[in-house]
């Protein structure tokens, strides 16, 4: 494995990462020697399924994939007594730009994920779990598969885990390159062997999910947190973090910082702490110009707002969000218009094509950015960007991909109007060190063909 | 040219594909794993191969093609024996990914993602975030990730795959070990 970049080792606020860095932690024997699988044993032998769900509710854990929904509440939506198969589907399709924390967990401690999955499956009455893992994650897939096989050999995965008459099984399903599969209903379509286009809701997956059956969908980090909650108790976990966002989460800090990495942070710490202290701040002589607080889809915040906290409520008040925890930092040597253009290329490429505003709008924005960056812009282009941005947002699309592109345009325009005007009206760039990205070698498809 | 009776996929692959549907709650889920097997065999998905996958799974050929064209890891044109998937999304771009791509193009003598080097060894593609942003700029090659890319690393990867010794003035770096001290 490559050099570990991020949190590891025992610290007061390290819940997920305290064991990271232990040699051979990915093996079952080392994980168990450090207390691994005690939470699963406790859940299966000493707790009723409803107690497990209540413990997770008490912890206040919110989903770490991006939407931040209350995890225990989500679990309680599954009718455990409904006849027929039920599924746990794990979203390991980590693709939000600037987010690498699920990979960090899977490569360091795959058994923690396996344990969390098994506890969740027992709590909601599912005998079968499926992990939908992105196809590019070769090494994490291999490690997770090896962990499942080790757990199977021990009987933790199998017909009678810890002697309990409740069969548990986990299987992997490899994705094949589509950002949209991070959206839960698109993921389910893909798992069913279809083009990954989001479904309209209701029915929600808890009622009609994978293969038409009740399904619990959770993110890797969310499930990896569950063993700690069962071991410590929900109330103890909730002592960390803020009242509405308890606990810790993993923030991937990338871009123009000296120590990029995946850092476990108590929710409520400021971005100044995360970016300037943990990640070492921008390179010598540079200042933080802008940062994306929660993946590329989270509306940007200017460098003047580093004292913003990582709490979801505070971020929402500043018209942004905690999202996937991907903190992308850009310093003052880079151009905001070029950065926004690159992200719109991404959203245009990844649009599944189902909803017209997203399929057409994202591409329209890319073409408008290209005119601006080719010094062919005017007030007309600025107005188009604003109109396209409005058209992408506010529930005009089935899923959040449309909004996300709109937020990139809207937030960068709002905070960096002058730089846009430099480009569009005066045909100049106040920073010009990034090679012009206007023509990518791989010209993006218009949506999905 | 192959004769019309000759199938694109060998019998043992088709047999393997026919066994896939039983592994899933509904048989349709087998379509992606089946296309995976076909692509692994042929390097890319030809219309004939997709038809044979459809037949083996009792699905409509148009349906299978519809799935295969949705996902970017399925290729529909020949690719090099080694394909460089270089991330150029924001986190990598901010740390020099575009320059890495420019250098790679020169090193392998390929200008665009739909071209293959004349020796058939190399092709490349700019891809979206691969989820290893703390190691930017990075790429995927031969089912592995490669980190902290620069011109020398790209040259070395290309040379290794050409089977020529790596010429480098730098002395080899000592293998890095994880820091003992807690980092965060």
């Amino acid at each position: 494995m490559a050099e570990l970049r991020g949190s590891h080792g025992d610290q007061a606020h390290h819940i997920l990462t305290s064991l990271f860095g232990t040699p051979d932690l990915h093996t079952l024997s080392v994980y168990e020697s450090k207390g691994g699988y005690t939470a699963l044993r406790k859940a299966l032998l000493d707790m009723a399924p409803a107690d497990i769900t209540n413990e997770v509710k008490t912890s206040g854990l919110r989903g770490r994939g991006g939407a931040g929904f209350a995890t225990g509440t989500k679990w309680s939506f599954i009718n455990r007594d409904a006849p027929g198969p039920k599924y746990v589907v794990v979203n390991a399709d980590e693709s939000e730009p600037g987010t690498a924390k699920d990979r960090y967990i899977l490569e360091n401690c795959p058994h923690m994920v396996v344990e969390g999955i098994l506890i969740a499956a027992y709590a909601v009455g599912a005998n079968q779990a499926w992990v939908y893992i992105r196809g590019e994650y070769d090494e994490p897939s291999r490690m997770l598969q090896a962990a499942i096989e080790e757990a199977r050999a021990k009987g933790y995965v199998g017909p009678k885990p810890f002697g309990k008459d409740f069969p548990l099984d986990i299987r992997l399903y490899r994705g094949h390159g589509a950002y949209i599969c991070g959206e839960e209903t698109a993921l389910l379509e893909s798992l069913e062997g279809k083009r990954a286009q989001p479904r309209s809701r209701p029915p929600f997956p808890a009622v009609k999910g994978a293969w038409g059956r009740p399904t619990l969908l959770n993110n890797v980090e969310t499930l990896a947190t569950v063993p700690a909650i069962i071991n410590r108790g929900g109330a103890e976990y909730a002592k960390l973090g803020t009242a509405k966002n308890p606990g810790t989460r993993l923030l991937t800090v990338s871009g123009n910082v000296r120590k990029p990495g995946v850092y476990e942070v108590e929710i409520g710490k400021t971005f100044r702490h995360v970016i300037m202290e943990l990640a070492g701040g921008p390179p010598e002589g540079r200042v933080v110009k802008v940062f994306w607080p929660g993946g590329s889809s989270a509306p940007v915040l200017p460098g003047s707002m580093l004292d913003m906290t990582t709490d979801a409520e505070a971020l929402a008040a500043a018209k942004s969000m905690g999202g996937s925890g991907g903190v992308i930092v850009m310093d003052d040597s880079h151009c905001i218009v070029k950065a926004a253009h690159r992200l719109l290329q991404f959203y245009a490429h990844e649009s599944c094509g189902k909803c017209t505003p997203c399929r057409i709008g994202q591409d329209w924005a890319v073409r408008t950015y290209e005119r601006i960056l080719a010094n062919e812009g005017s007030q007309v282009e600025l107005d188009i960007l604003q109109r396209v941005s409005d058209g992408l947002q506010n529930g005009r699309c089935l899923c959040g991909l449309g909004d996300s592109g709109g937020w990139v345009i809207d937030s960068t325009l709002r905070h960096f109007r002058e730089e846009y005007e430099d480009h569009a009206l005066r045909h100049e760039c106040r920073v010009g060190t990034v090679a012009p990205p206007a023509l990518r070698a791989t010209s993006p498809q218009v949506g999905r063909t | 040219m192959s004769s019309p009776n000759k199938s694109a996929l060998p019998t043992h692959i088709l047999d393997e594909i026919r066994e896939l549907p039983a592994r899933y709650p509904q048989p349709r889920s087998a379509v992606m794993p089946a296309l995976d097997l076909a692509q692994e065999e042929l390097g890319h998905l030809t219309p004939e191969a997709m038809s044979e996958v459809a037949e083996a799974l009792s699905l409509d050929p148009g349906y299978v093609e519809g799935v295969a064209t949705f996902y970017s890891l399925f290729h529909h044109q020949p690719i090099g024996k080694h394909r460089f998937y270089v991330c150029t999304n924001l986190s990598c771009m901010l740390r020099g990914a575009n320059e890495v791509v420019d250098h790679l193009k020169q090193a392998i003598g390929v200008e665009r993602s739909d071209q293959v080097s004349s020796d058939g060894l190399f092709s490349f593609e700019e891809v979206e975030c691969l989820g290893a942003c703390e190691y930017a700029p990075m790429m995927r090659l031969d089912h592995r990730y490669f980190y902290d890319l620069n011109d020398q690393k790209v040259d070395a990867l290309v040379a290794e795959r050409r089977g020529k010794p790596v010429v480098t003035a730098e002395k080899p770096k000592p293998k890095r070990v994880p820091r003992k001290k807690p980092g965060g």
Side-chain angles (χ1 to χ4, degrees):
Chain A
M1 214 173 83
E3 171 205 21
L4 211 56
R5 290 188 191 157
S7 296
H8 55 279
D10 201 14
Q11 285 200 22
H13 70 281
H14 282 181
I15 289 181
L16 285 161
T17 60
S18 63
L19 298 177
F20 290 14
T22 309
D24 295 325
L25 181 63
H26 63 281
T27 62
L28 190 139
S29 56
V30 172
Y31 181 63
E32 271 202 310
S33 74
K34 300 283 177 183
Y37 287 107
T38 51
L40 176 64
R41 177 195 293 269
K42 183 176 169 187
L44 286 170
L45 302 184
D46 304 335
M47 294 172 84
D51 295 339
I52 302 171
T53 300
N54 279 332
E55 208 59 53
V56 175
K57 273 189 186 170
T58 306
S59 76
L61 177 66
R62 288 167 65 162
R64 302 290 192 233
F69 193 82
T71 304
T73 308
K74 200 177 201 182
W75 289 19
S76 67
F77 289 157
I78 311 272
N79 178 5
R80 201 176 188 280
D81 303 320
K86 289 175 278 292
Y87 300 109
V88 168
V89 173
V90 184
N91 188 340
D93 192 61
E94 180 167 66
S95 332
E96 175 73 19
T99 313
K101 46 130 187 140
D102 293 337
R103 195 208 87 252
Y104 190 69
I105 295 171
L106 288 167
E107 286 184 351
N108 276 288
C109 195
H111 280 289
M112 194 162 71
V113 182
V114 172
E115 188 177 10
I117 295 169
L118 295 172
I119 294 169
Y122 175 63
V124 302
N127 299 109
Q128 180 70 54
W130 289 88
V131 182
Y132 187 99
I133 187 162
R134 68 178 298 184
E136 294 91 340
Y137 276 4
D138 303 289
E139 186 65 10
S141 284
R142 279 194 288 270
M143 294 185 76
L144 185 60
Q145 188 66 54
I148 293 167
E149 293 319 319
E150 274 191 306
R152 197 187 305 281
K154 272 264 190 171
Y156 303 162
V157 170
K160 280 195 170 189
F162 290 104
K164 183 90 179 178
D165 196 9
F166 191 90
L168 287 168
D169 189 30
I170 306 176
R171 301 206 22 217
L172 301 192
Y173 194 88
R174 302 286 300 272
H176 284 81
Y179 168 68
I180 191 70
C181 291
E183 197 282 335
E184 60 177 17
T185 61
L187 185 155
L188 292 174
E189 289 287 293
S190 184
L191 182 60
E192 293 181 7
K194 302 171 190 164
R195 290 164 71 91
Q197 296 188 316
R199 301 171 179 172
S200 66
R201 285 162 287 192
F204 288 90
V207 177
K208 201 176 170 195
W211 301 288
R213 304 298 310 166
T215 300
L216 172 72
L217 268 140
N218 275 148
N219 165 266
V220 167
E221 183 186 351
T222 311
L223 290 168
T225 310
V226 167
I229 290 171
I230 298 302
N231 279 329
R232 291 163 187 244
E236 190 63 27
Y237 180 83
K239 284 181 185 168
L240 288 162
T242 66
K244 287 189 173 171
N245 286 281
T248 65
R249 69 177 302 181
L250 299 187
L251 301 181
T252 313
V253 191
S254 68
N256 302 130
V257 288
R258 286 182 238 200
K259 291 190 292 173
V262 180
Y263 297 101
E264 180 165 12
V265 175
E266 186 175 355
I267 297 171
K269 293 278 185 188
T270 65
F271 283 97
R272 184 178 300 283
H273 169 70
V274 175
I275 294 171
M276 304 304 283
E277 290 171 38
L278 296 179
E284 186 74 39
R286 291 293 170 193
V287 296
V288 175
K289 172 174 174 170
V290 60
F291 63 101
W292 282 254
S296 69
S297 300
V300 301
L301 297 173
S304 59
M305 290 176 80
L306 278 174
D307 289 314
M308 167 64 55
T309 80
T310 46
D311 175 48
E313 316 293 316
L315 282 162
K319 292 189 178 174
S320 190
M321 63 179 191
S324 65
V327 183
I328 309 170
V329 180
M330 190 168 105
D331 70 26
D332 57 342
S333 70
H334 294 279
C335 166
I336 194 75
V337 182
K338 288 171 185 165
H341 168 242
R342 179 63 187 89
L343 290 180
L344 263 296
Q345 286 182 319
F346 165 71
Y347 290 109
H349 180 256
E350 298 299 337
S351 175
C352 81
K354 185 164 182 169
C355 309
T356 309
C358 178
R359 184 182 65 243
I360 304 293
Q362 313 274 18
D363 189 54
W364 194 4
V366 171
R367 283 182 280 123
T368 308
Y369 274 109
E370 276 166 7
R371 281 204 301 283
I372 291 173
L373 289 170
N375 290 338
E376 293 164 9
S378 65
Q379 186 61 41
V380 175
E381 274 67 31
L382 293 180
D383 293 343
I384 290 174
L385 283 182
Q386 192 62 64
R387 273 215 318 282
V388 171
S389 158
D390 294 343
L392 284 165
Q393 296 177 60
N394 303 317
R396 290 187 175 87
C397 307
L398 270 176
C399 82
L401 203 153
D403 295 86
S404 298
W407 291 337
V408 171
I409 303 171
D410 183 67
S411 65
T412 52
L413 255 175
R414 182 152 33 91
H415 292 295
F416 297 92
R417 182 99 206 167
E418 277 183 18
E419 266 191 60
Y420 271 89
E421 289 178 350
D422 279 352
H423 269 281
L425 307 181
R426 292 180 283 280
H427 299 175
E428 53 188 44
C429 180
R430 58 181 69 181
V431 283
T433 58
V434 178
L439 291 171
R440 294 179 66 199
T442 316
S443 67
Q445 297 161 250
V446 181
R448 298 269 157 176
T449 49
Chain B
M1 289 295 286
S2 58
S3 72
N5 295 329
K6 193 164 181 278
S7 55
L9 290 166
T11 316
H12 72 277
I13 297 286
L14 287 168
D15 287 344
E16 214 175 317
I17 289 173
R18 283 190 201 96
E19 285 167 18
L20 288 171
R23 298 189 196 172
Y24 302 95
Q26 286 176 15
R28 201 174 281 265
S29 294
V31 64
M32 284 213 279
L35 287 168
D36 230 5
L37 287 174
Q39 179 163 286
E40 215 171 286
E41 179 68 23
L42 303 174
H44 72 286
L45 295 172
T46 59
E48 296 75 25
M50 286 187 281
S51 292
E52 287 170 24
V53 167
E55 200 185 327
L57 297 176
S58 307
L59 290 168
D60 186 87
Y63 178 85
V64 171
E65 192 179 337
V67 172
T69 51
F70 187 89
Y71 298 92
S72 35
L73 287 180
F74 291 127
H75 299 293
H76 300 274
Q77 290 165 338
I79 58 168
K81 184 179 171 206
H82 307 284
R83 189 166 177 91
F84 295 79
Y85 300 88
V86 189
C87 173
T88 57
N89 206 305
L90 190 54
S91 299
C92 282
M93 174 181 126
L94 292 172
R95 298 179 79 93
N98 290 330
E99 292 73 13
V100 168
V101 171
D102 287 343
H103 185 80
L104 175 67
K105 285 196 233 174
Q106 285 191 342
I108 63 177
V110 171
E111 262 303 303
R112 297 198 322 256
S113 64
D114 57 356
Q115 296 172 334
V116 179
S117 61
S118 51
D119 55 8
L121 277 181
F122 301 115
S123 63
F124 84 101
E125 164 180 1
E126 291 180 43
V127 296
E128 302 300 355
C129 185
L130 290 173
C133 317
E134 75 269 40
Y135 301 105
M138 57 77 60
M139 69 176 166
R140 177 173 183 248
L141 167 70
D142 299 338
H143 298 283
R144 270 189 64 196
Y145 277 7
F146 292 90
Y147 297 143
D148 302 323
L149 298 178
N150 54 35
D151 292 357
Q152 294 73 33
K153 285 195 182 178
V154 168
D155 288 340
L157 290 169
V158 171
E160 276 168 29
R161 279 152 188 79
R162 283 199 176 121
K164 290 178 186 163
V166 185
V167 185
T168 168
E170 288 176 55
K171 64 176 185 184
K173 274 188 177 175
K175 208 178 167 192
R176 288 202 262 200
V177 288
R179 284 169 295 165
K180 285 284 184 294
K181 265 179 68 181

